Amino acid sequence: MTFVITTPLYYVNDKPHLGSVYTTIICDTIARYKRLVGEDVIFITGVDEHGLKIQRTASEKGVKPQSHCDEISEIFNNNWKNWDISFDKFIRTSSNNHEFIVNEFYERVKSSEDIYMGVQKGWYCVGCEEFKDNPENSSTYKCPIHQKNLEWKNEENLFFRLSKYQEQIEKIINEPSFIEPVERRNEILNFVAKGLKDFSISRTNVSWGIPVPGYDDHTFYVWFDALLGYVSAITSNSKDVSLKKSINGGWPADIHLIGKDILRFHAVYWPAMLISAGMKVPKKVLGHGFLTREGQKMGKSLGNVLDPDILLSKYGNDPVRWYLIKDISLGNDGDFQDRRFVDIINNDLANTIGNLLNRTSSMSRKWFDNKVPNNTKITIDNVLENFANIAVKNYIDKFENYKLDQAANEVLNLAINTNLYLNDNQPWILIKEENNFPIVQEIIYNVLESTRIIGLLLLPLLPNLSSKINEQLGSIYTKEIPWEKQLKWGLLVSNSSLPKPTPIINKLEYEKHI
Ligand SMILES: [Zn+2]
């Protein structure tokens, strides 16, 4: 089965910030998991390059919009490689293939008689590229996201007949699986209940956009163009491009993962556009929350913006991933706290998982000739085996429901239980009596086997750490056998060699300013 997952197509007005890194890491985790369970994944990311905001940013820099976009797109593309993001498609909305898809889509919507010429008047936020719902005192009102005044617009635009799709959109958003979490769904239910208004899909004062066929001076509204990037991405590498090819290539998307600020576009406008063009709507729109820092909104004026590049170079990929996945419940707002970050990484990854592996491997090497002991079965009820089986079951259940923080906690709990098992059984005391040799074999085998399963479960969450565990245990994962089958207890090979242990993760030092 094809599984299509998308990040938003990021605006190229600036380099990636922590919020974009967060969204992309979550998508990457889901994409990796889906590949492991055998889905044919298309993981789409990319950049949204058109619109007034980009046009102005380029002109402030004194460069052509295209060269500004080339530069920033390259930064995004490299950035995701630095973060080891396993994307399959990187779509640029200034590409010819994309323009072709937009035109074809527009023709379909036009032949559904959903396009007409009208006058668009209203207060517009250039940062959001969105008309605001008549805020009071609009001339002095500032967009809460961008802290900038709105601009008055009054121009002839082409409109899309969104109002025609009121009932169909209501039906879609009433489906509980379509918008998650439920708070986001309720926002949209309320918005749609007020009655959908047609929206303009062209602009006359924006030259940096895709020209609307048949209308000189009109370019497509950036959102009309950008949303279609998800469709054109599917065939972005092919020579011949068409909507039909994208549809056959895997459309509709299984998940659009987005920030809550762009929910309306994805959960209302986009499905209506797709229905109009005779296409299937996405299966799920998952809106995550905002990230704050030490309880405060991040902003240039506050001087508290956390640069993801610094986080990556200072702490590496795994610690940042673990914090963002495990400490934030997907859908809720999250807070980045320096002290908490250091504590979580040291407790969870260095102490609970890293030390467990390190000390057990050392004991095994010392007592069993640098090898994994025999899988000796003396105890009838293997408590650790039971813990592991339950953890695997729960983990899969959580992942299937995109409860990534809870899935991560299942792995951590298994590690905690494995440490307890080791401390309860005290093999370092038992080994002093020769009679105890078989029971020590059993204990050490069980702990190593549990560690193997922990490493396997970490594969989509922390791919680097997982592969380090793989090296320390000789092998935990092979591509030849389905991942789920490898999660079965007892597959660690008896008498296989154990390499000399090295720490899989370093402890972090707390510094006041990251
Ligand atoms: Zn705004």
Side-chain angles (χ1 to χ4, degrees), residues 448-509:
L448 288 174
E449 172 60 352
S450 185
T451 316
R452 181 188 70 88
I453 290 172
I454 289 164
L456 268 182
L457 294 176
L458 286 175
L459 203 48
L461 301 163
L462 307 178
N464 297 340
L465 194 73
S466 176
S467 78
K468 282 180 191 162
I469 297 175
N470 195 56
E471 284 162 26
Q472 296 282 297
L473 287 176
S475 163
I476 58 168
Y477 175 68
T478 164
K479 281 200 168 123
E480 282 67 46
I481 303 165
W483 176 75
E484 279 175 286
K485 282 199 172 159
Q486 298 179 55
L487 289 166
K488 199 171 164 288
W489 182 268
L491 297 181
L492 183 66
V493 182
S494 297
N495 296 314
S496 56
S497 333
L498 281 174
K500 202 168 186 294
T502 48
I504 54 168
I505 189 142
N506 295 321
K507 276 202 167 193
L508 306 182
E509 294 285 333

Side-chain angles (χ1 to χ4, degrees), residues 239-251:
K239 277 197 179 141
D240 50 329
V241 193
S242 68
L243 276 178
K244 207 169 165 208
K245 274 200 102 176
S246 281
I247 292 164
N248 294 337
W251 190 259

